[in-house]
């Protein structure tokens, strides 16, 4: 049997790392890409312990580097097909909108939005010629609900949502499915690093300092409820194997209810609830 080939971006940690392993376990040949190959040792070791090393090629891709993406595409000619692209690479810039610099917003979009678009543009011609393929874009509940103190991240994920809706309809006639995964909060590096990704965070003289302290207090209380990234990896595998996947898959504690309530309630009621929850 010829294995299907899956490409995963951002495989050095978090969702990407576990999804590479789960896809390999499910029989995919996986091209695990990362922007820092010095981080590959742990993944290699774990794959080896499951006898999966031969099923995985680890390649360098920084999604903000078109050159690295082009090199990956050249290497793809050795595979019979490219069946799945998981656009997973991403990070979060924290900080209140007034204090996040435009440069920080740009960097956020370079990876989460333009990087995802560049990978998609590079792989689509292969899938279009095959007249089959699936692209899964790792969005977030932050692509559906705006939260304070992460507007850069939220706006990047809203952009991914709109892009994917358009793309879904453009690609259907070619037999290519576009899917969004919309996780809630999971225990990965993304939030820890998010705090250090903005110059505005940690400034005690900021007019938003008390708001931030309250949000962080709430997040600390909810840390024990963070989900296990393995659940998201298993969802990716199940979506990869579905006959006719939907556009959106939400995952995480309370996420479906929160999104439902946001759409159901008039905005001013929703806003009052959020303000009371966060800043009371
Ligand atoms: N964890 C959550 O609660 C959550 C919820 C919803 C959505 N998400 C999304 O899930 C995706 C994966 O994040 P995660 O939670 O697994 O966090 P993570 O552990 O920090 O993983 C992020 C991955 O993206 C990589 N990356 C960042 N910038 C890159 C670039 N320019 N080129 C290539 N790779 C890059 C990182 O590489 P380095 O190791 O080199 O930094 C890392 O491998 C992100 O798109 C994130 O927005 C996460």
């Amino acid at each position: 049997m010829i294995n299907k080939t899956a490409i995963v971006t951002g495989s050095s940690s978090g969702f990407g790392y576990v999804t590479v392993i789960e896809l390999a376990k499910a029989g995919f040949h996986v091209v695990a890409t990362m922007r820092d190959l010095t981080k590959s040792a742990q993944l290699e070791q774990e794959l080896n312990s499951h006898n999966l090393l031969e099923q995985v090629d680890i390649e360098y891709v920084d999604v903000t580097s078109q050159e690295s993406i082009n090199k990956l595409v050249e290497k793809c000619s050795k595979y019979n097909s490219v069946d799945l692209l998981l656009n997973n690479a991403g990070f979060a810039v924290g900080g209140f909108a007034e204090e996040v610099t435009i440069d920080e917003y740009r960097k956020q979009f370079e990876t989460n939005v333009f990087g995802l678009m560049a990978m998609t543009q590079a792989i689509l011609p292969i899938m279009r010629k095959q007249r089959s393929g699936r692209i899964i874009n790792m969005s977030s509940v932050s692509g559906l609900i705006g939260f304070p103190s992460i507007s850069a991240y939220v706006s990047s994920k809203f952009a991914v949502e709109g892009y994917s809706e358009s793309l879904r309809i453009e690609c259907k006639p070619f037999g290519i499915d576009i899917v969004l995964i919309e996780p809630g909060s999971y225990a990965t590096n993304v939030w820890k690093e998010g705090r250090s990704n903005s110059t505005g965070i940690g400034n005690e003289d900021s007019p938003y300092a008390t708001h931030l302290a309250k949000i962080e207090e709430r997040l600390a209380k909810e840390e024990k409820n963070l989900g296990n990234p393995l659940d998201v990896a298993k969802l990716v595998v199940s979506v990869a194997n579905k006959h006719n996947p939907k556009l959106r898959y939400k995952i995480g504690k309370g996420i479906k209810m929160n999104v439902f309530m946001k759409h159901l309630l008039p905005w001013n009621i929703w806003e009052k609830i959020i303000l009371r929850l966060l800043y009371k």
Side-chain angles (χ1 to χ4, degrees), residues 9-17 33-36 39 61-65 87-92 110-112 138-142 153 157 181-191 193 226 229:
T9 64
S11 304
S12 64
S13 67
F15 293 156
Y17 180 100
T33 71
M34 52 187 80
R35 64 174 169 175
D36 180 356
K39 292 186 179 174
V61 172
D62 179 332
V63 298
T64 64
S65 153
N87 276 318
N88 164 76
F91 75 106
E110 268 317 319
T111 296
N112 292 14
M138 195 57 81
S139 178
S140 168
V141 64
S142 303
Y153 183 69
K157 293 298 185 183
I181 304 265
E182 300 163 329
S185 296
Y186 283 79
T188 68
N189 295 336
V190 77
W191 302 120
E193 288 181 12
L226 289 179

